[in-house]
Amino acid sequence: MTSYIFRYFNVAGFGEATRLLLTAAKVDWSEENPEWPLEKPNQPFGRLPVLIEHSADGSPDLVITESGTIERYVARTYGFLPADPWNAALQEQLRDRLNDVVLAFFAHKSVSEGERQAVHDKFVDLLDKLVAVHSELLRKNGNNGHLFGTELSFADISTYAFLRMFLINPMPSLEHSPQLVKAKLTPEIAKLAITVEADPLLEAFVSKKGGLAEYVQHKYIDQFLH
């Protein structure tokens, strides 16, 4: 049986989507939280996250880094991305847009006071566009809580992980993000969060780590569920 070790900090951050994918795939995996920066020289490229794949047949371990690479590898391996490149690309572009928004937020927190407003405005603009695109895709897909089709997908998991990064126990650099992101939520995105959490593949994850119900706007949830 193939098994995995996932290394990352003990925060949602750029590791949550991989945790969700590994959980949904029902594979044997464990997590390590390396002492940092002590363990930095021992990681590929001196960075986290890292995924190590152990094969049962004794072949060499696969060791990869970079969150996007890890996510795509797991998603393709376990069927959360379509085999067809066309349809896979439609989902992968959404993941990259999510990452753009995250990086824009980090930039807003690291610039000088004089630059902060302009960088903040760029972050809000990117977030607004992301919310609009995701909401429209969800509506076009029948408001069923999935971005594509009727089953849990890479795009669903990536979006849900994005929400967890900003809303649940964010890193210190994201400490003011819950208010910013919560204010932008739409009924469609709120339903995606609830739908992903209700998926049997992720019940154990949500039960252990908590869900988004108290963070997303209840009036939106009620609008769909009642």
Side-chain angles (χ1 to χ4, degrees), residues 1-22:
M1 175 185 289
T2 301
S3 62
Y4 298 89
I5 295 173
F6 180 60
R7 293 177 183 159
Y8 193 57
F9 307 108
N10 189 28
V11 295
F14 292 104
E16 202 77 335
T18 298
R19 295 184 183 107
L20 289 159
L21 286 162
L22 291 169

Side-chain angles (χ1 to χ4, degrees), residues 82-95:
D84 169 50
W86 177 301
N87 289 307
L90 294 177
Q91 296 198 32
E92 291 181 74
Q93 67 178 346
L94 297 181
R95 187 272 177 200

Side-chain angles (χ1 to χ4, degrees), residues 124-155:
V124 172
D125 181 60
L126 287 172
L127 180 61
D128 285 341
K129 290 175 180 175
L130 180 148
V131 167
V133 169
H134 276 64
S135 298
E136 179 63 18
L137 284 171
L138 288 160
R139 286 191 293 271
K140 287 182 176 178
N141 198 44
N143 274 337
N144 65 359
H146 296 288
L147 284 156
F148 300 92
T150 59
E151 297 182 354
L152 191 65
S153 70
F154 179 54

Side-chain angles (χ1 to χ4, degrees), residues 1 13 23 27 32 38-39 52 63 65 72 78 91 102 108 132 135 140 142 149 178:
M1 175 185 289
T23 300
V27 296
E32 296 178 350
L38 182 64
E39 292 293 326
I52 303 170
V63 182
T65 188
R72 287 172 169 86
Y78 294 101
Q91 296 198 32
V102 173
H108 146 252
S135 298
K140 287 182 176 178

